[in-house]
Amino acid sequence: MRRLVTDTMVVAERNLVRITRAPDLLLAFTVQPVMFVLLFVYVFGGAIKVPPFYDSYVAFLLPGIIVQNIAFGGFVTALGLNEDLQKGLIDRFRSLPMARAAVLAGRTLADVATNMLSVVVLLVTGLIIGFSFDASPLEIVGGLALLLLFGYAFSWVFALLGLLVSSPEAANSLGFIAVFPLTFISSAFVPVESMPGALRWFAEINPFTVVVDAMRALWVGAPAGHSIWGAVVWSFVLIAVFAPLAVSRYRRAAGH
């Protein structure tokens, strides 16, 4: 176990160092999220009617757009794993005296760090344009922990995706096709009550809706229902399903 932890930290560090050496990768965690927030608030915000509980569209939007961005943070894992496979780096790892699980564990752990950066950038942007917390410090910290847990769960989804496809370009395209509709058919950007029947039913059971509603309950005092516990359960279910699948696929892809 000590070796697994040590090797996982080394792999995570390697992935984070790579970002500092290729600063353009930081655009996905900094500039792109800010662009989404500003576009939705100042272009679409005036046309979207939010429930009376929220005093502005910013209060309604920010938790949703942070959840969306956290989920997409796993794209780096999908692209990086597939690139390592194509370049033969996974074979190099096999020849080293290291814990086999450390490659995937290190990748997903690095996503937690980059997701933290994204959350900070989005929160600062939100506070500048009018967002404010209506929560205790414990609820704010609880919301941050829930975001990182959900992002970690989706990192395993993207890890499996990156190991299944044939190229980094395919991983990017397939991931976008699979996840992007989930984020929009949810309560992230508009109230689900505004959707037609079939879409509304799907949005209500969509894990993104559950997590977004949980974040609004924790950060702006919106009615919680069962959304907070539901978000925790969804996160652990995603990890329980996709982590074993990703590990199994990694073993086959790497010839273990």
Side-chain angles (χ1 to χ4, degrees):
M1 181 58 67
R2 180 172 16 171
R3 181 177 177 182
L4 172 60
V5 172
T6 302
D7 291 346
T8 297
M9 297 302 294
V10 170
V11 174
E13 181 183 6
R14 173 234 176 198
N15 294 320
L16 293 174
V17 168
R18 179 189 177 193
I19 293 177
T20 63
R21 294 174 179 173
D24 53 306
L25 293 174
L26 287 173
L27 295 177
F29 309 114
T30 54
V31 177
Q32 181 176 307
V34 172
M35 180 183 67
F36 264 95
V37 170
L38 297 180
L39 284 175
F40 270 92
V41 170
Y42 294 112
V43 177
F44 303 114
I48 298 176
K49 185 177 181 181
V50 298
F53 176 85
Y54 302 93
D55 57 2
S56 67
Y57 184 59
V58 176
F60 180 85
L61 171 71
L62 195 68
I65 211 160
I66 290 179
V67 171
Q68 182 206 46
N69 196 68
I70 280 287
F72 275 102
F75 259 116
V76 176
T77 286
L79 298 175
L81 278 174
N82 192 274
E83 185 179 7
D84 288 346
L85 276 173
Q86 302 305 319
K87 292 183 176 180
L89 189 59
I90 299 299
D91 293 330
R92 291 283 303 276
F93 287 145
R94 288 181 58 198
S95 67
L96 297 174
M98 63 181 293
R100 301 305 184 197
V103 175
L104 293 181
R107 276 281 179 187
T108 53
L109 182 61
D111 286 344
V112 175
T114 54
N115 282 338
M116 288 178 64
L117 173 62
S118 293
V119 171
V120 170
V121 169
L122 284 171
L123 280 178
V124 170
T125 303
L127 292 171
I128 291 173
I129 62 176
F131 177 80
S132 62
F133 290 104
D134 184 8
S136 67
L138 183 61
E139 289 172 325
I140 295 173
V141 173
L144 291 172
L146 179 58
L147 282 172
L148 296 179
L149 175 63
F150 187 65
Y152 182 72
F154 255 86
S155 291
W156 285 105
V157 176
F158 280 107
L160 176 62
L161 177 67
L163 293 168
L164 286 174
V165 297
S166 58
S167 67
E169 292 78 12
N172 186 60
S173 299
L174 188 58
F176 188 83
I177 292 171
V179 179
F180 201 70
L182 287 175
T183 63
F184 273 85
I185 309 176
S186 73
S187 65
F189 306 108
V190 298
V192 295
E193 293 79 9
S194 66
M195 301 179 185
L199 285 181
R200 178 176 177 178
W201 172 83
F202 179 81
E204 288 175 346
I205 63 172
N206 185 345
F208 279 93
T209 294
V210 177
V211 178
V212 170
D213 288 348
M215 292 304 305
R216 289 177 180 142
L218 289 168
W219 282 1
V220 296
H226 300 292
S227 59
I228 296 175
W229 287 112
V232 174
V233 170
W234 261 117
S235 299
F236 280 111
V237 166
L238 289 172
I239 294 171
V241 171
F242 287 95
L245 290 175
V247 171
S248 176
R249 179 62 185 177
Y250 171 75
R251 290 182 179 276
R252 291 199 299 272
H256 289 261

